[in-house]
Amino acid sequence: MLSTHPIPKLHGAEPENLLRDSHGRVIRDLRVSITDRCNYRCVYCRTGEGGAQYAELATEEYLRLIRVFVSLGINKLRLTGGEPLLRTDLPAMLRELALLRTPNNEPLDLALTTNGHLLAGLAQTLVDSGLQRVTVSMDAVDAPTFDRITRVPGSHGKVLAGIRAAQAAGLGPVKVNCVLLRGFNDDQILPFAHFARAEGVIVRFIEFMPLEEGRLWTPAIVVSHDEILQRISQELPLLRLTPSAAGETARRYGFADGQGEIGIIAPVTQAFCGACSRIRLTSDGKIRTCLFSHREHDLAGHLRRGASDEDLQAWIRQVVHTKEARHHIGEPGFHKPSRSMVHIGG
Ligand code: SAM
């Protein structure tokens, strides 16, 4: 048993007790990066030259902080990175997280985002440890294109095996995230639509955001929501599906013949900041209230200076209150945050 701290006193999930920002949004969704190490060097994310490395917290520290967040009404938790499967204590961490209950005595919605490279050998263990959902990143159906993007030979076969193992272990329908970049992989849009139908996965196309280590992003490299929709619909007609949850980031579409589903996440051309219910905790324990924040809040520092659970609760409430209204991608004066996606946790 890893947990040494009791769950902080619960206040009940009455609306007045939930985490709120100053724009009236309720925050119920926490993404925790458990490492910023990654075994891939995707061309749109990393420079391929090693780069900065931030610290990682001990398992017990993540667990204590997550318990405090849950006591404040967080009911959706996604572990990410970096590559979270590189943390060997992940199954142990999941077993503890699966025991947590919200103030309404419900289990957490417990999900993981991974590049899938190590998933085939771990999928069953993760399910047995309490994982409920997985999202696998895969930026090309075509193997040579994929390996060129990840810069790891043989990665395509590993990820495909990981997706299939996850489906077999009961994590289906697996969501497959594909970040599209014009001139890199936009020829993969239709193949991915067919892939979604053949494999029984939900492919979610993501507009590329300016969060890379290098300087690749331009408005022209972004493949927009409307273009993706149009290019698929020319061959495979699509119907808009109703959102399955409030604040859902993906616009969902079903194929008109009833077989299969895709989603499009369009933070650049159709920003959804007004419905954002998310905050992030970086691998070194900083709260980020927006992907594009220029300010971080050192929660782990507070913890290590001996803060009580009640201190942490009060401090988190203050931090969440300062959440930015929206991002400013593409606007004059926009500048990227100092951390790139791999170091924030996507
Ligand atoms: N290593 C895991 C993975 O590959 O899924 C988790 C971390 S990764 C940073 C999380 C997600 O962010 C991946 O789906 C990745 O494709 C996406 N991503 C990275 N950089 C991005 C960017 N600049 N714009 C949009 N999505 C990005």
Side-chain angles (χ1 to χ4, degrees), residues 44 80-83 113-115 137 177 179 207-209 211 341 346:
Y44 63 85
T80 182
E83 175 44 43
T113 302
T114 170
N115 62 27
S137 305
N177 276 359
V179 179
E207 290 178 350
F208 179 43
M209 292 178 277
L211 286 169
M341 191 66 133

Side-chain angles (χ1 to χ4, degrees), residues 31 33 35 37-40 42 44-46 79-85 112-116 135-139 176-181 204 206-213 217 267-268 291-292 340-346:
R31 300 199 174 191
S33 171
T35 178
R37 289 172 286 136
C38 190
N39 43 358
Y40 283 2
C42 297
Y44 63 85
C45 186
R46 308 185 60 199
L79 300 182
T80 182
E83 175 44 43
L85 298 192
L112 176 84
T113 302
T114 170
N115 62 27
T135 299
V136 180
S137 305
M138 185 181 182
D139 302 307
V176 174
N177 276 359
C178 167
V179 179
L180 287 173
L181 280 77
R204 292 162 358 140
I206 305 179
E207 290 178 350
F208 179 43
M209 292 178 277
L211 286 169
E212 73 282 25
E213 282 179 347
W217 193 91
V268 180
L291 267 178
F292 294 93
S340 59
M341 191 66 133
V342 68
H343 301 296
I344 295 173

Side-chain angles (χ1 to χ4, degrees), residues 264-328:
I264 305 177
I265 302 176
V268 180
T269 67
Q270 309 203 6
F272 37 81
C273 306
C276 183
S277 58
R278 265 171 305 285
I279 48 170
R280 289 177 161 80
L281 188 68
T282 60
S283 64
D284 57 341
K286 309 280 198 304
I287 297 178
R288 293 185 63 91
T289 47
C290 172
L291 267 178
F292 294 93
S293 294
H294 289 287
R295 200 150 58 101
E296 298 184 334
H297 308 269
D298 187 9
L299 183 60
H302 224 51
L303 171 94
R304 288 171 179 170
R305 285 190 294 274
S308 68
D309 290 334
E310 287 71 21
D311 293 339
L312 294 174
Q313 286 173 324
W315 196 78
I316 291 170
R317 280 193 194 282
Q318 280 175 21
V319 165
V320 166
H321 203 68
T322 68
K323 182 172 163 65
E324 297 80 346
R326 63 184 184 92
H327 70 63
H328 297 274

Side-chain angles (χ1 to χ4, degrees), residues 32-344:
V32 179
S33 171
I34 57 173
T35 178
D36 69 338
R37 289 172 286 136
C38 190
N39 43 358
Y40 283 2
R41 290 174 295 126
C42 297
V43 290
Y44 63 85
C45 186
R46 308 185 60 199
T47 58
E49 292 159 8
Q53 192 85 59
Y54 291 84
E56 293 174 15
L57 303 190
T59 317
E60 292 79 358
E61 292 177 306
Y62 288 121
L63 289 173
R64 174 150 178 234
L65 294 179
I66 291 169
R67 276 192 200 97
V68 173
F69 278 110
V70 171
S71 75
L72 292 167
I74 291 291
N75 59 6
K76 272 182 86 174
L77 177 69
R78 178 171 292 274
L79 300 182
T80 182
E83 175 44 43
L85 298 192
L86 293 177
R87 283 275 306 220
T88 51
D89 56 352
L90 177 60
M93 212 184 293
L94 284 170
R95 282 197 296 278
E96 291 289 318
L97 295 174
L99 297 175
L100 287 186
R101 293 292 175 270
T102 68
N104 287 339
N105 206 26
E106 286 159 0
L108 294 183
D109 174 354
L110 198 49
L112 176 84
T113 302
T114 170
N115 62 27
H117 192 78
L118 299 170
L119 188 56
L122 277 171
Q124 192 60 56
T125 306
L126 297 178
V127 171
D128 294 345
S129 307
L131 185 67
Q132 298 159 3
R133 299 191 293 118
V134 71
T135 299
V136 180
S137 305
M138 185 181 182
D139 302 307
V141 171
D142 170 64
T145 309
F146 185 72
D147 289 3
R148 262 200 311 279
I149 292 173
T150 62
R151 297 190 270 206
V152 174
S155 49
H156 181 268
K158 292 253 183 182
V159 175
L160 194 55
I163 291 171
R164 289 176 178 163
Q167 302 258 82
L171 289 170
V174 167
K175 288 183 179 150
V176 174
N177 276 359
C178 167
V179 179
L180 287 173
L181 280 77
R182 195 177 308 286
F184 281 78
N185 63 348
D186 57 322
D187 61 342
Q188 298 293 297
I189 295 175
L190 259 179
F192 259 122
H194 289 291
F195 180 82
R197 289 155 67 81
E199 297 283 336
V201 297
I202 300 172
V203 173
R204 292 162 358 140
F205 299 100
I206 305 179
E207 290 178 350
F208 179 43
M209 292 178 277
L211 286 169
E212 73 282 25
E213 282 179 347
R215 289 187 169 272
L216 196 61
W217 193 91
T218 63
I221 206 169
V222 177
V223 186
S224 72
H225 167 280
D226 292 355
E227 180 177 343
I228 300 164
L229 203 57
Q230 190 216 348
R231 284 169 68 172
I232 297 177
S233 306
Q234 278 170 358
E235 188 170 318
L236 295 164
L238 290 166
L239 300 170
R240 180 83 193 262
L241 301 176
T242 48
S244 46
E248 194 170 53
T249 52
R251 291 177 182 231
R252 301 169 57 223
Y253 297 91
F255 293 99
D257 65 3
Q259 189 197 333
E261 176 183 331
I262 61 143
I264 305 177
I265 302 176
V268 180
T269 67
Q270 309 203 6
F272 37 81
C273 306
C276 183
S277 58
R278 265 171 305 285
I279 48 170
R280 289 177 161 80
L281 188 68
T282 60
S283 64
D284 57 341
K286 309 280 198 304
I287 297 178
R288 293 185 63 91
T289 47
C290 172
L291 267 178
F292 294 93
S293 294
H294 289 287
R295 200 150 58 101
E296 298 184 334
H297 308 269
D298 187 9
L299 183 60
H302 224 51
L303 171 94
R304 288 171 179 170
R305 285 190 294 274
S308 68
D309 290 334
E310 287 71 21
D311 293 339
L312 294 174
Q313 286 173 324
W315 196 78
I316 291 170
R317 280 193 194 282
Q318 280 175 21
V319 165
V320 166
H321 203 68
T322 68
K323 182 172 163 65
E324 297 80 346
R326 63 184 184 92
H327 70 63
H328 297 274
I329 300 175
E331 294 175 16
F334 170 82
H335 59 285
K336 290 200 300 193
S338 57
R339 286 199 204 216
S340 59
M341 191 66 133
V342 68
H343 301 296
I344 295 173

